[in-house]
C-alpha cells in the first residue's frame, strides 16, 4: 500500500476553471464504519469514497470475519458484523491507522473486553489516548496499558457523567459508541462539537440509539437494549476537502464551483478566506469561489470546532506564504503539526517557527522542486503550493495524501491543472 515510489507531479501556473465534486467526509465515514460493529445486521452506507483509510478498515472488518461488500464505483458499502470475532491484538491493520483505536468502544460494547496494540505517535504529534480511557473508566471499564498494548474489560457498561479535559474528537466518538448499549444514561461534558460527531450520532440514532446534543458541548446518550437494522445511510460531505479546493481557487487566482458543501460546517474556513479576500457565494450545496481579488495577510489560531480546523492549517499556510504581508498562524490542537513548513521553505516560502507559532512572511513567488507529503494535509498543501509555483513540483510520500483524498489528481486535472502521478 505504501508505495514510496509514487509521486505527484504538478506543473504550476495554470488558472483553474469549472466544477469539482466533493466526496463524503473521511472523518465521518471512518467512525461510522467502526460503529457497524455495535449492530449485527446488514448495514448499507452510500457514497463511501475510495480512501486508503477506508480500505484498511474494510480489510480489518474482513479479518474479523465480517461480511463486507464494497463497490468502489458506486461507493455502496455493505457490512454485516454478525460473525464478528474478537480482535487479534497483533493485527497489522490496527497499527496502520490511528483511527482504528475507535474500534475499542464498539468492541467493548459487544464483547465486554478488547485488547489492542497501542496506537503509535504520528507525524503530527504523540496523540495520547488518556481521555478515551478516562471516559471508559467512568463507564465501568477498567483498562491497563503495558508492553505496547491496551487491554480493557468490563462486566457491564454503566452510564455515567464524563467530563473531558479537552474536547477530543476520537474520545468523544469512542465514548459515545461504548455508551449506546449501556445501562442507563451517559452525559459527556466538554464533548467535541465537530460536524463528524453530529453525523456519527445521526447514524447511531438511525439504528435506534438515543443520543441527544451531539454537535454541542454536552451530549446525552440514553442506553438502549438493542439496535435495529438502519436504512441505507449517507454521511456528510468532506468539509476539509471542500476547504482544500477553496484554497486552490485562491492560490491560483481562479474562479471555480465546488459541489457538495455545507455552509454551516465550513463557517470557520469561510470566515478566514473572506478576511483574506476570497469571495465565496453559496447556493444550497453549491459554492462559487472567486479567488481573483487582492489578498490580505491574516492571523489564524487552530481550535476545536467551531474554531479554525487544524486540518486546514497546512493548506491555508500555503496560501498565506504567497500573500503579501505577515501572517501569524498558531497551532493549538496538535503539538507538532508544522512539518510542512520546511517543505514550503524548499519551494521558497519565508516561514519561521517559534514553538506553536508560525510567522509567515508572504513572498511574491514560489519555485517548484522536490518536496514530501509529511502527512495527509501537509501533502494537500504541497499540491496547492505546486499549483501556484513556477515550474515543476515533485511530491513524494504521497501515500499520506491517498489516506484522505480520493482521485485528487483527477479532480484537479478536471479543473484544468497540470498534475499527474508517476511511478518512479
Ligand atoms: N488528545 C489527548 N488525549 C486523548 C485524545 C486526544 O491529549 O486521549 C489530544 C491529542 O494529542 C491532540 C488533541 O487532543 O493534541 C486533538 O485530538 P483529537 O482526539 O481531537 O483528534 P483525533 O480524534 O485523533 C480527529 C481527526 C483528525 C483531526 C482531529 C482534530 C479522525 C479520524 N481524525 O483526530 O484528522 O485533525 O480530530 O480535529 O477523525 C486529518 O484528517 O488529517 C486528521 C488528522
Amino acid at each position: 500500500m505504501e508505495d514510496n515510489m509514487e509521486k505527484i507531479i504538478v506543473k504550476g501556473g495554470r488558472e483553474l476553471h469549472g466544477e469539482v465534486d466533493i466526496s463524503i467526509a473521511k472523518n465521518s465515514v471512518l467512525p461510522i464504519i467502526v460503529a457497524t460493529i455495535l449492530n449485527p445486521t446488514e448495514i448499507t452506507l452510500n457514497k463511501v469514497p475510495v480512501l486508503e483509510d477506508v480500505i484498511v478498515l474494510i480489510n480489518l472488518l474482513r479479518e474479523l470475519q465480517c461480511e463486507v461488500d464494497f463497490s468502489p464505483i458506486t461507493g455502496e458499502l455493505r457490512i454485516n458484523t454478525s460473525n464478528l470475532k474478537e480482535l487479534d491484538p497483533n493485527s497489522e491493520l490496527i497499527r496502520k491507522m490511528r483511527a482504528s483505536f475507535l474500534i475499542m468502544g464498539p468492541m467493548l460494547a459487544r464483547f465486554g473486553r478488547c485488547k489492542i496494540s497501542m496506537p503509535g505517535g504520528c507525524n503530527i504529534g504523540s496523540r495520547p489516548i488518556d481521555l478515551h480511557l478516562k471516559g471508559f473508566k467512568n463507564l465501568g471499564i477498567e483498562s491497563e496499558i503495558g508492553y505496547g498494548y491496551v487491554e480493557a474489560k468490563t462486566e457491564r457498561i454503566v452510564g455515567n457523567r464524563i467530563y473531558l479535559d479537552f474536547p477530543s474528537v476520537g474520545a468523544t466518538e469512542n465514548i459515545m459508541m461504548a455508551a449506546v448499549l449501556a445501562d442507563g444514561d451517559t452525559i459527556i461534558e466538554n464533548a467535541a462539537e465537530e460536524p463528524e460527531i453530529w453525523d456519527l450520532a445521526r447514524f447511531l440514532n438511525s439504528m435506534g440509539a438515543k443520543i441527544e446534543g451531539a454537535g454541542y458541548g454536552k451530549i446525552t446518550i440514553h442506553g438502549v437494549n438493542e439496535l435495529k437494522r438502519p436504512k441505507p445511510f449517507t454521511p456528510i460531505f468532506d468539509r476539509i476537502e471542500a476547504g482544500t479546493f477553496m484554497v486552490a481557487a485562491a492560490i491560483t487566482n481562479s474562479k471555480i464551483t465546488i459541489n457538495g458543501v455545507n455552509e454551516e460546517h465550513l463557517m470557520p474556513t469561510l470566515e478566514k478566506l473572506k478576511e483574506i479576500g476570497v469571495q465565496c457565494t453559496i447556493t444550497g450545496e453549491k459554492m462559487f469561489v472567486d479567488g481573483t481579488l487582492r489578498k490580505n495577510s491574516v492571523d489564524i489560531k487552530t481550535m476545536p470546532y467551531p474554531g479554525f480546523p487544524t486540518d486546514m492549517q497546512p493548506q491555508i499556510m500555503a496560501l498565506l506564504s504567497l500573500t503579501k504581508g505577515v501572517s501569524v498562524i498558531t497551532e493549538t490542537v496538535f503539538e507538532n503539526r508544522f512539518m510542512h513548513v520546511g517543505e514550503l521553505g524548499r519551494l521558497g516560502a519565508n516561514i519561521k517557527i517559534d514553538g506553536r507559532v508560525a510567522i509567515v512572511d508572504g513572498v511574491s513567488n514560489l519555485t517548484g522542486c522536490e518536496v514530501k507529503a509529511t502527512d495527509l494535509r501537509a501533502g494537500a498543501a504541497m499540491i496547492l503550493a505546486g499549483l501556484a509555483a513556477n515550474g515543476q513540483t515533485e511530491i513524494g510520500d504521497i501515500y499520506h495524501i491517498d489516506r484522505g483524498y480520493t482521485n485528487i489528481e483527477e479532480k484537479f486535472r478536471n479543473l484544468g491543472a497540470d498534475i499527474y502521478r508517476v511511478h518512479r
Side-chain angles (χ1 to χ4, degrees), residues 26-27 30 98-99 124 127-132 166-171 173 194 310-311 333-335 337 376-377:
K26 166 182 88 83
N27 290 346
L30 297 178
R98 159 91 197 171
I124 60 178
R127 303 180 86 175
I129 49 163
D130 55 318
L131 298 170
H132 300 241
F166 179 88
S168 154
V169 172
E173 291 168 343
E194 269 69 4
T310 173
D311 292 346
V333 179
F334 289 107
E335 77 272 14
R337 204 173 198 174
L376 165 57
R377 308 301 171 188

Side-chain angles (χ1 to χ4, degrees), residues 111-133:
F111 296 111
R113 54 178 188 263
C114 181
K115 186 174 176 184
I116 190 170
S117 58
M118 214 24 205
C122 64
N123 291 351
I124 60 178
S126 64
R127 303 180 86 175
I129 49 163
D130 55 318
L131 298 170
H132 300 241
L133 299 185

Side-chain angles (χ1 to χ4, degrees), residues 308-353:
F308 187 84
T310 173
D311 292 346
M312 278 302 299
Q313 181 258 107
Q315 301 90 313
I316 209 103
M317 188 185 284
L319 173 63
L320 293 173
S321 73
L322 277 166
T323 302
K324 196 163 183 259
V326 175
S327 298
V328 178
I329 301 180
T330 310
E331 173 59 58
T332 77
V333 179
F334 289 107
E335 77 272 14
N336 187 26
R337 204 173 198 174
F338 279 148
M339 301 281 286
H340 45 282
V341 168
E343 302 304 302
L344 286 170
R346 294 165 67 85
L347 294 164
N350 184 2
I351 306 169
K352 289 193 184 68
I353 303 178

